[in-house]
């Protein structure tokens, strides 16, 4: 994979020009894209910008995020050839930081359930995950050092786990979702993919102008609470093994590690996440569902068909549970600095019929807290499996630092 931080250092030293860094990515795309299929469209002539901390850094943008220079088709025939007039704010944030947008990456249709044709870069018989399929696969294949995705259930963390890359789903609304096709305005969060945790931190710090997100040279050993999310069902052996391996490595590196059970109201919040997600979706896709019903992606259309009877009272009750759960979760962090939990049930499923199960991700999306995927082990078939570090709302720097600690502990 291509390290963003390594490129930054080489460009700063003068040993690599920004245009040469862009050319390396273009060569890697030309070599790997025919096999992986991570891009919807791209600019093979993209050049480096003149200034900024991300000068020479190529970025892929998930194709539900508006771009003025590329179509935004959202994985759906309804929007075939659609050309926004302006970049979404998150895209402009990258450009203002000096990044070069090299193309649009594949997404499941409307960032929902209907898969893309993108293949897992580590084993082409398996899914790369979704809905941010192309972004995770492009970074995992070593084509680009940075990519944007979105998460409403588990669409950043899960594909990051399946593709063996680091990723962050930041605190809710740290990155603006204006200009991003809405699924659920209560949940949608823009996230980043990169080779390692330091790379993710550098990308997020640059585009938000928040230097406090950059990682220090030495990270203090955190207090870690291990959460198995029993209410979400048992993981597969590879998922359980990844969590055990990461917890053991962190403990051996000096972290305080202990298992924690979540309060019942938090488990209840996990159960009501789909109520909030699907109620919002009916409003978000009202035009597509009524005016383009037959052209709707079939799995999403079926999901909307099944949830048509949901009432505002159901939605209000679910939001009340979520609000109480957020308070209970905040109290859990009085005991530990971060939580360590599963990124996925196991390795990427075989075939492209499914992008995998988000059941271990959706709680943290609903809680709005920052989550960082840390690649942890390689399962049968060369398939990566990660773990998730979770911090309190607004403590994105803490999440990144603790994830970096776990990453370094695993490397030992």
């Amino acid at each position: 994979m291509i390290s963003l931080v390594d490129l930054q250092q080489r460009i700063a030293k003068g040993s690599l020009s920004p245009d040469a860094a862009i050319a390396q990515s273009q060569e890697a795309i030309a070599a790997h894209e025919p096999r992986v299929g991570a891009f919807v469209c791209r600019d093979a002539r993209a050049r480096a910008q003149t200034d900024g901390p991300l000068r020479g850094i190529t970025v892929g943008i998930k194709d539900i995020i508006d771009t003025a220079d590329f179509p935004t088709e959202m994985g759906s025939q309804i929007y075939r050839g659609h050309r926004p007039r302006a970049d979404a704010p998150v895209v402009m944030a990258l450009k203002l930081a000096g990044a070069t947008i090299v193309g649009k990456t594949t997404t499941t249709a409307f960032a929902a359930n209907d898969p893309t044709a993108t293949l897992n870069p580590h084993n082409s018989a398996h899914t790369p995950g979704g809905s941010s399929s192309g972004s995770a696969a492009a970074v995992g294949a070593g084509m680009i050092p940075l990519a944007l995705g979105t998460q409403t259930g588990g669409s950043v963390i899960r594909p990051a786990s399946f593709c063996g890359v680091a990723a962050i789903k930041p605190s809710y609304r740290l990155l603006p979702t204006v200009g991003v096709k809405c699924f659920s305005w209560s949940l949608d969060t823009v996230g980043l993919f990169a080779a390692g945790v330091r790379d993710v931190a550098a990308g997020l710090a640059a585009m938000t102008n928040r230097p406090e997100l950059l990682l220090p040279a030495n990270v203090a050993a955190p207090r870690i609470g291990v959460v198995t999310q029993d209410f979400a069902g048992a993981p597969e052996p590879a998922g359980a093994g990844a969590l055990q391996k990461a917890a053991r490595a962190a403990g051996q590196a000096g972290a305080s590690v202990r298992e924690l059970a979540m309060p019942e109201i938090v488990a209840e919040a996990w159960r009501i996440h789909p109520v909030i997600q699907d109620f919002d979706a009916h409003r978000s896709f009202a035009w597509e569902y009524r005016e383009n019903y037959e052209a709707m992606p079939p799995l999403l259309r079926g999901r909307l068909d099944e949830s048509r009877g949901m009432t505002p009272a159901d939605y209000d009750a679910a939001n009340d549970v979520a609000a109480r759960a957020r308070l209970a979760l905040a109290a859990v962090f009085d005991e530990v600095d971060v939580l360590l939990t599963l990124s996925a049930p196991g390795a990427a499923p075989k075939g492209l019929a499914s992008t995998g199960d988000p059941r271990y991700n959706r709680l943290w999306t609903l809680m709005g807290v920052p989550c960082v995927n840390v690649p942890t082990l390689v399962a049968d078939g060369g398939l990566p499996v990660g773990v998730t570090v979770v911090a309190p709302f607004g403590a994105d720097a803490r999440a990144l630092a603790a994830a970096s600690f776990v990453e370094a502990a695993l490397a030992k």
Side-chain angles (χ1 to χ4, degrees):
M1 288 186 284
I2 304 173
S3 167
L4 186 156
V5 170
D6 176 65
L7 289 178
Q8 285 180 316
Q9 292 172 345
R10 292 168 64 196
I11 290 169
K13 291 177 182 175
S15 61
L16 179 71
S17 73
D19 278 324
I22 301 292
Q24 286 183 2
S25 281
Q26 296 286 21
E27 290 170 5
I29 293 170
H32 300 296
E33 174 61 9
R35 174 179 61 89
V36 177
F39 286 90
V40 179
C41 57
R42 59 189 179 92
D43 181 1
R45 296 175 294 177
R47 298 294 300 273
Q49 295 200 62
T50 57
D51 198 15
L54 297 182
R55 185 177 51 137
I57 303 300
T58 54
V59 185
I61 307 295
K62 183 177 180 177
D63 196 31
I64 62 164
I65 303 173
D66 282 350
T67 45
D69 301 327
F70 301 94
T72 301
E73 298 182 333
M74 309 177 208
S76 169
Q77 62 178 312
I78 297 171
Y79 287 91
R80 191 73 67 226
H82 172 62
R83 294 296 296 251
R85 290 190 56 137
D87 289 323
V90 285
V91 176
M92 276 307 301
L94 287 163
K95 288 183 175 180
L96 291 170
T100 295
I101 310 305
V102 76
K104 301 298 285 290
T105 56
T106 62
T107 175
T108 64
F110 294 125
N113 305 76
D114 298 79
T116 73
T118 305
L119 304 179
N120 191 299
H122 299 280
N123 186 326
S124 59
H126 293 252
T127 178
S131 60
S132 305
S133 310
S135 290
V139 174
M143 291 191 264
I144 52 176
L146 188 66
L148 287 191
T150 63
Q151 178 160 311
T152 307
S155 294
V156 169
I157 297 299
R158 189 176 76 261
S161 177
F162 290 169
C163 292
V165 303
I168 185 168
K169 180 208 77 66
S171 293
Y172 179 70
R173 293 295 187 257
L174 178 65
L175 294 174
T177 56
V178 177
V180 179
K181 178 59 176 173
C182 183
F183 193 113
S184 166
W185 57 87
S186 305
L187 302 168
D188 294 349
T189 308
V190 176
L192 282 75
F193 300 87
V197 176
R198 286 189 178 274
D199 303 306
V200 170
L204 188 60
M207 67 183 296
T208 59
N209 195 27
R210 293 175 180 265
E212 65 271 20
L213 294 173
L214 292 169
L215 294 173
N218 297 303
V219 176
R223 298 175 301 158
I224 297 174
V226 178
V227 178
T228 56
Q229 299 191 65
D230 293 343
F231 45 80
E236 299 165 17
L243 187 58
Q244 292 164 3
K245 180 180 179 180
R248 183 170 59 249
Q252 292 172 346
S256 166
V257 181
R258 63 189 180 97
E259 286 197 18
L260 278 182
M262 289 289 97
E264 177 54 34
I265 188 64
V266 174
E268 180 61 20
W270 176 84
R271 286 187 280 272
I272 58 85
H273 170 278
V275 175
I276 294 174
Q277 184 174 21
D278 290 347
F279 187 91
D280 282 353
H282 272 281
R283 277 83 198 149
S284 300
F285 298 117
W287 178 80
E288 291 88 354
Y289 189 60
R290 191 172 97 165
E291 302 297 332
N292 294 272
Y293 181 82
E294 294 300 328
M296 283 285 283
L299 294 181
L300 175 58
R301 183 178 62 207
R303 180 173 175 175
L304 293 173
D305 288 343
E306 292 172 4
S307 56
R308 287 180 69 176
M310 198 174 294
T311 67
D314 297 329
Y315 182 67
D316 293 345
N319 274 310
D320 179 67
V321 170
R324 289 186 285 128
R326 291 182 188 114
L327 291 175
L329 181 62
V332 169
F333 286 108
D334 292 338
E335 305 175 42
V336 295
D337 298 316
V338 295
L339 304 177
L340 184 69
T341 190
L342 297 145
S343 288
K350 192 170 185 177
L352 299 181
S354 166
T355 59
D357 192 332
R359 68 180 188 265
Y360 295 118
N361 315 122
R362 70 192 205 195
L363 172 65
W364 316 116
T365 311
L366 178 60
M367 295 295 96
V369 292
C371 306
V372 181
N373 179 69
V374 181
T376 302
L377 59 77
V378 178
D380 292 345
L383 294 164
V385 184
V387 295
T388 297
V389 173
V390 181
F393 177 79
D396 296 72
R398 187 195 304 183
L400 287 162
S404 178
F405 182 92
V406 172
E407 181 183 58
L410 287 163
K412 295 178 182 178

